[in-house]
Amino acid sequence: NTMARIGLHRDLHRGPTISLNFHDFIEKRDYVGALAVLDFDGGAITSEAEQKLWRAYCLFQLGQYERARETYSDLLSGETNDVPEDIGLYLACVYFILGRYRDSEEVALSVEGGDPELKNRILLHVACKNDDETKVAKYRQDLTTSIEDQISAAAVEFSFRRRYQESDNICKTIL
């Protein structure tokens, strides 16, 4: 029934209640709702580091890049050991969006481990923004056949090299 689908339940003694499942909000891309659940009860996530990681993710998705940067920086400077290796790469993404390309490159290069494909994509796009053809060629060569890498390749061909047909061809192979 409809009320069960939206999480509305009726307790005969207490009246209607709403169940707040953090992951349901994330699945629906309702990042405001997900942040509200995190603020209310932590979203049933027991690790403080994981709560901060999700908070930063939601903030990034909502376009609150400075707050996401602060949260990722806080995670990196924290004393906890249970943060993923990719945190530095996420911070590099935030710096990139903020137009801080030098910071983005420095942070990405400093990350040991983590997702090498994400790291390469970040460095590729920074090289494009810095108009560095040598680095663009290097990082472009290291792209894989993953969808994310191919979208990056299409973006480079379209916006940096102005090879519109090549970009179009790459996109057609993805679809």
Side-chain angles (χ1 to χ4, degrees):
N1 87 33
T2 303
M3 291 186 28
R5 280 198 319 260
I6 63 170
L8 186 62
H9 306 282
R10 183 170 293 280
D11 182 326
L12 296 177
H13 303 288
R14 296 184 324 169
T17 60
I18 297 176
S19 68
L20 301 175
N21 184 324
F22 170 75
H23 292 288
D24 287 346
F25 286 101
I26 293 295
E27 275 185 34
K28 294 174 187 170
R29 295 187 172 126
D30 180 353
Y31 302 111
V32 172
L35 279 173
V37 172
L38 282 173
D39 289 341
F40 178 68
D41 70 357
I45 299 170
T46 56
S47 161
E48 184 180 339
E50 189 176 351
Q51 284 181 17
K52 285 183 179 181
L53 182 63
W54 278 112
R55 181 176 313 289
Y57 174 80
C58 291
L59 291 167
F60 183 88
Q61 296 301 321
L62 290 168
Q64 297 180 21
Y65 304 118
E66 191 56 41
R67 289 181 61 200
R69 184 201 60 75
E70 291 169 4
T71 306
Y72 284 132
S73 294
D74 184 44
L75 276 166
L76 278 173
S77 65
E79 298 172 9
T80 181
N81 292 331
D82 61 341
V83 295
E85 293 176 324
D86 290 335
I87 293 289
L89 296 176
Y90 303 155
L91 179 59
C93 290
V94 173
Y95 280 137
F96 182 85
I97 292 293
L98 290 171
R100 295 172 57 178
Y101 306 123
R102 185 180 344 204
D103 291 331
S104 181
E105 182 177 32
E106 286 175 12
V107 170
L109 288 171
S110 74
V111 172
E112 295 178 18
D115 181 350
E117 291 179 15
L118 176 57
K119 182 176 184 174
N120 188 66
R121 286 192 300 274
I122 293 166
L123 294 170
L124 171 66
H125 288 286
V126 167
C128 286
K129 290 294 186 180
N130 290 333
D131 215 14
D132 187 332
E133 179 61 46
T134 304
K135 287 182 179 178
V136 168
K138 174 187 181 299
Y139 297 125
R140 171 71 171 87
Q141 174 183 323
D142 293 339
L143 292 176
T144 69
T145 58
S146 73
I147 290 174
E148 296 86 351
D149 278 6
Q150 291 305 298
I151 289 172
S152 287
V156 167
E157 296 303 326
F158 186 88
S159 65
F160 183 71
R161 294 187 170 148
R162 308 284 191 245
R163 297 180 188 161
Y164 307 116
Q165 188 59 51
E166 179 67 21
S167 176
D168 187 50
N169 291 342
I170 293 169
C171 288
K172 287 178 183 176
T173 63
I174 295 170
L175 301 174

